Amino acid sequence: MSEFTVPSWDEYFLGIAQAVSTRAKCRRRKVGCVLVLDRRIISTGYNGAASGEPDCLEGACPRGMLSYDQVPGLGDYDRPGTPGFCIAIHGEVNALLYATRDTKGAVAYITDPPCPGCRKALAAAGIQRVVWPGGEYDRVGLTNWAV
């Protein structure tokens, strides 16, 4: 009898998040997110420009056009008109926007730790747990800004 290795649920859904990230339209990083409720996927999202708008791969993102040594800190990230401005909607937010049902009690599987803005959005949407490779937040971690 041969042995089969079955991934844990966390490993399984993180693998799907990794696959989702391949659709990201960003020159700097590719982030994928999968929202899961009762071990069923209710939504996926990846980072990129708003639907129907020119994206980073088309040269529409000021931040994406900078070389890595020119990129300012996160302070300019959300300030239109600055060289560090990024047009991308984060994968977590896209997953929340396209969820087909209530996300209260769901788990978010993400390819990277969520930024502070995404932590707030996930908490507001009722997400109970966030998992990424090498880490996780439970509901308290999502709303504990000192973490």
Side-chain angles (χ1 to χ4, degrees), residues 20-107:
V20 169
S21 76
T22 64
R23 292 286 308 157
K25 304 290 179 71
C26 180
R27 294 174 185 260
R28 301 207 166 275
R29 66 193 317 200
K30 297 189 174 290
V31 177
C33 178
V34 177
L35 300 181
V36 176
L37 187 62
D38 298 327
R39 295 186 178 152
R40 299 285 182 240
I41 295 171
I42 60 172
S43 186
T44 65
Y46 52 85
N47 56 320
S51 184
E53 297 296 323
D55 60 44
C56 188
L57 300 180
E58 298 172 290
C61 183
R63 189 177 190 93
M65 297 308 291
L66 298 174
S67 66
Y68 280 94
D69 61 333
Q70 293 176 311
V71 177
L74 288 177
D76 287 342
Y77 188 83
D78 281 330
R79 291 190 189 133
T82 64
F85 177 63
C86 177
I87 63 170
I89 309 300
H90 288 192
E92 301 92 323
V93 173
N94 273 323
L96 291 170
L97 287 170
Y98 292 100
T100 58
R101 57 188 289 193
D102 189 1
T103 57
K104 185 176 181 181
V107 178

Side-chain angles (χ1 to χ4, degrees), residues 5-28:
T5 303
V6 176
S8 70
W9 286 109
D10 286 352
E11 292 167 334
Y12 174 72
F13 289 119
L14 283 172
I16 294 171
Q18 184 62 46
V20 169
S21 76
T22 64
R23 292 286 308 157
K25 304 290 179 71
C26 180
R27 294 174 185 260
R28 301 207 166 275

